[in-house]
Amino acid sequence: MSKTTASDPAPSAAEDQELGDAGSQLSTAPKEEAPNLPALGVIGWARWFWRQLTSMRVALLLLLLLSLGAIPGSLIPQSGSDETKVADFRKAHPTLGDVYDKIGMFHVYSSVWFSAIYILLFVSLIGCIVPRTWQFVGQLRGLPPGAPRRLNRLPAHTTWRTTAEPEQVHEAALALLKKRRFRAHRTGDAVAAEKGYLREVGNLVFHIALIVMLVAFAWGQLYKSEGNKLVVEGNGFSNTLTQYDDFKSGNLFTSDDLVPFSFNLKKFTGTYERTGPNKGTPRVYKAGITYSAGAYGKDETDTVKVNHPLEIGDSKVYLVSHGYAPVVTVRDAKGKVVFDDAVPLLPLDANVTSSGVVKVLDGYRNAKGEKEQLGFNAFFVPTFGGHASGTMLSQFPALDNPLLALSAYHGDLGADSGIPQSVYQMDRSNMKEFKNSEGKLFKKLLKPGETMKLPNGAGSVTFGKDIKEWAGFQVVQQPGSGWALAGALAAIGGLAASLFIQRRRVWVRAVKGADGVTVVEMAGLGRSESAKVPEELGHLAGDLYEQAPGAPDDPADSPDPDQEPGTEPPVPAEGAEKQ
């Protein structure tokens, strides 16, 4: 048996023509033809432009441009997500802000140039996939092409002589190749087989997955919504626009797309590491809630944890923040309760040092019986380190030694002006300070249960013993995320298949020689140069050789690699090496 050899993988033009159909259709990639410039008309140029647009080179270029175009959307404030930051940027950089506004940098994902890249990439992928898919379906419905005339011209080939009949060799080869999961059939004086169709399947799956990801991304951006809500223990939330603290959505989103549900925060539980280098690190963050889906849904109980959201329909409710809400009771000059509620304060550091304001808008009358509004700057520490610590910062995030600092104001808070204002800040432009005996701002540190008497009998403020906690929830509704994930996984699988699976063909020819001995030729051809084709051909030839063993050597009659099967071998020249 002769040794399997591998020759130059790039056959010449004449050899390629000699292979005929045997070397064709190993890939469904469209052939790029140079345009015949003198003969091009409008239709010719349109056809050439379409071929360029649907080429792999242009698709990769568009994908690169899409990636580069998304960078400004991450670095520059976007009007769809944070109008305040956009306004601050324009104020700080007026000239650059005007330039950015004209080229759409403040709304990158809905800009004309980004949409153009997106649509061109979409069209390029579809224009590439559709013809390749039909071509591949045609290949699957057909049979592997017949053997070329001279198998010894292929990159990997081998030959030997055997006493077995050609028909026996063909039947053995057909059975062997089918056993190795080749698509094989008998054609003429040879057996043709092909394997590795999953390479092209992977290629098509990769491109289809990219389209799925693009559609899912566009769908999600157009119909997404995202809102935040701070809920104090004992209070609830209904999924309507008026209930959110802040809300942003896609261009095609409407209030009718909100999933109907509501929930109540029963209890928030937070535990922290007490010792060691991780002291103060949260160990448990969970919110116990009762919720109902739909307008008339039954109440159900669940626990929302960090990275474990509550899923209701297409909405996900995430636990994103936590803080404290001291209960404050305010009485007027006659002792009447005009305010009694838990006031959520915003954390300033990891130990939940918090600040905010208490606003008494209605019902208060001063010592003279005049209507006024009260405002208190509030500073809260869950664990006060004591006066000896010299700081008003919390030493630990848990409620070990809570302390509330209040400074008092009276007058007009401006809440009736119709201008929106933050519940965590106080407009002091029309407010007056309560003065202490020294003529300074009246303020006091309160422990739970203590009361602060306002000057001149103006009333009192009590820091309740019951300190509630609040939880910040983010409600996200982003359709298409499941499709995007499926597309990403399919793209990875398809890319792996197209990279690691090689499509190759094998031919086995057995014909009678001039001396009546059967000459067996085997050859393999792959789409690209690879050591796998000669290696696999060697294993196949070894197995076939066991069923069609070599004939006894005849030194006067060894086959010539360049000889046509079935013809009289030429007499070797003197001194020539025999196979």
Side-chain angles (χ1 to χ4, degrees):
M1 175 180 175
S2 65
K3 187 176 181 180
T4 303
T5 60
S7 59
D8 186 355
S12 64
E15 292 170 344
D16 187 57
Q17 185 177 2
E18 184 178 290
L19 291 178
D21 293 337
S24 66
Q25 297 183 344
L26 274 173
S27 170
T28 58
K31 296 181 180 179
E32 296 188 11
E33 301 175 1
N36 187 4
L37 296 180
L40 281 181
V42 175
I43 297 178
W45 276 110
R47 185 177 300 163
W48 177 83
F49 176 78
W50 176 254
R51 288 176 179 172
Q52 298 305 309
L53 181 60
T54 56
S55 67
M56 182 62 66
R57 179 175 60 253
V58 172
L60 292 175
L61 179 60
L62 290 172
L63 191 60
L64 175 62
L65 290 177
L66 192 70
S67 302
L68 294 176
I71 294 176
S74 302
L75 301 178
I76 300 173
Q78 299 295 291
S79 57
S81 59
D82 199 330
E83 292 284 358
T84 304
K85 287 187 177 180
V86 173
D88 292 342
F89 187 93
R90 285 174 172 161
K91 185 176 180 181
H93 311 279
T95 304
L96 188 60
D98 291 340
V99 175
Y100 281 0
D101 202 18
K102 291 179 180 178
I103 61 178
M105 285 299 179
F106 292 128
H107 49 92
V108 168
Y109 302 114
S110 59
S111 63
V112 175
W113 57 269
F114 190 86
S115 300
I117 297 174
Y118 200 90
I119 294 173
L120 283 175
L121 177 59
F122 196 80
V123 173
S124 176
L125 289 174
I126 293 179
C128 180
I129 290 173
V130 172
R132 293 185 68 167
T133 301
W134 283 115
Q135 184 179 349
F136 183 62
V137 170
Q139 293 178 17
L140 290 178
R141 296 178 63 184
L143 295 173
R149 188 166 57 91
R150 307 189 70 173
L151 291 177
N152 54 2
R153 296 294 188 186
L154 298 184
H157 63 274
T158 185
T159 182
W160 73 92
R161 292 153 53 86
T162 179
T163 56
E165 293 296 321
E167 189 64 28
Q168 295 176 339
V169 176
H170 290 151
E171 291 178 0
L174 194 61
L176 173 63
L177 291 169
K178 287 184 177 181
K179 183 179 180 181
R180 297 293 182 87
R181 298 191 300 276
F182 278 83
R183 292 182 65 208
H185 73 110
R186 176 78 178 273
T187 170
D189 59 356
V191 173
E194 189 168 359
K195 190 178 184 181
Y197 290 91
L198 285 179
R199 177 190 180 96
E200 192 62 31
V201 172
N203 202 332
L204 294 174
V205 167
F206 173 75
H207 287 80
I208 294 174
L210 284 181
I211 292 180
V212 171
M213 291 172 63
L214 289 174
V215 172
F217 176 77
W219 182 20
Q221 289 298 311
L222 291 173
Y223 290 96
K224 72 174 183 179
S225 68
E226 181 180 305
N228 295 287
K229 178 63 179 178
L230 185 152
V231 182
V232 179
E233 287 178 329
N235 293 345
F237 165 79
S238 295
N239 193 25
T240 59
L241 290 179
T242 57
Q243 288 276 300
Y244 283 99
D245 296 331
D246 61 82
F247 185 85
K248 56 185 179 181
S249 62
N251 295 336
L252 299 181
F253 181 87
T254 64
S255 59
D256 294 336
D257 296 323
L258 288 172
V259 177
F261 70 88
S262 61
F263 67 85
N264 291 313
L265 176 61
K266 294 301 182 182
K267 182 176 179 55
F268 180 89
T269 303
T271 61
Y272 309 89
E273 194 69 43
R274 288 282 177 178
T275 59
N278 296 322
K279 181 180 178 181
T281 302
R283 307 303 299 172
V284 175
Y285 258 17
K286 61 181 181 180
I289 65 172
T290 59
Y291 72 95
S292 62
Y296 306 101
K298 296 179 61 178
D299 286 346
E300 298 185 48
T301 302
D302 203 342
T303 300
V304 182
K305 301 179 182 179
V306 177
N307 296 327
H308 290 82
L310 170 68
E311 297 188 24
I312 306 175
D314 292 333
S315 291
K316 293 184 179 180
V317 182
Y318 292 90
L319 175 63
V320 294
S321 58
H322 156 259
Y324 293 104
V327 176
V328 177
T329 302
V330 180
R331 292 177 171 85
D332 64 8
K334 294 184 178 181
K336 177 185 177 182
V337 176
V338 294
F339 182 89
D340 185 14
D341 202 359
V343 182
L345 305 179
L346 299 181
L348 301 176
D349 57 26
N351 287 326
V352 203
T353 302
S354 307
S355 69
V357 295
V358 180
K359 297 181 181 181
V360 181
L361 301 176
D362 299 310
Y364 172 77
R365 291 180 182 270
N366 60 21
K368 298 179 181 180
E370 299 172 343
K371 289 185 177 181
E372 275 191 314
Q373 294 178 336
L374 298 180
F376 302 89
N377 278 330
F379 197 84
F380 176 78
V381 288
T383 302
F384 181 50
H387 296 286
S389 65
T391 179
M392 189 56 185
L393 296 178
S394 178
Q395 306 301 305
F396 196 74
L399 292 170
D400 292 346
N401 185 24
L403 190 71
L404 178 66
L406 294 175
S407 56
Y409 299 82
H410 64 100
D412 183 8
L413 289 169
D416 300 328
S417 64
I419 301 175
Q421 56 179 239
S422 172
V423 297
Y424 306 105
Q425 295 177 341
M426 180 170 54
D427 181 7
R428 298 204 303 261
S429 59
N430 295 316
M431 300 291 287
K432 298 178 182 179
E433 298 178 349
F434 279 104
K435 302 291 185 179
N436 59 16
S437 58
E438 299 177 356
K440 297 181 179 180
L441 174 65
F442 182 78
K443 54 186 177 181
K444 192 172 182 180
L445 299 179
L446 300 176
K447 292 183 178 180
E450 294 184 342
T451 299
M452 177 179 74
K453 296 288 185 179
L454 296 176
N456 303 320
S460 64
V461 181
T462 301
F463 176 22
K465 293 183 179 180
D466 181 21
I467 301 175
K468 295 187 177 182
E469 301 187 49
W470 60 260
F473 297 94
Q474 184 178 71
V475 182
V476 178
Q477 188 172 332
Q478 182 147 9
S481 56
W483 284 100
L485 176 61
L489 295 177
I492 294 173
L495 183 62
S498 64
L499 291 177
F500 298 110
I501 297 176
Q502 185 179 21
R503 192 170 171 186
R504 62 270 191 199
R505 291 169 179 164
V506 172
W507 295 275
V508 181
R509 174 180 283 134
V511 295
K512 284 283 188 179
D515 56 355
V517 178
T518 302
V519 179
V520 181
E521 291 181 292
M522 290 187 68
L525 180 66
R527 178 182 174 185
S528 58
E529 181 181 3
S530 172
K532 186 175 182 179
V533 174
E535 180 182 352
E536 185 175 36
L537 183 68
H539 290 310
L540 291 172
D543 292 343
L544 185 60
Y545 187 82
E546 293 179 359
Q547 302 182 52
D553 291 337
D554 185 355
D557 198 13
S558 295
D560 185 353
D562 293 329
Q563 175 192 351
E564 291 291 334
T567 61
E568 188 69 23
V571 178
E574 185 177 352
E577 183 179 354
K578 297 180 181 177
Q579 188 175 10

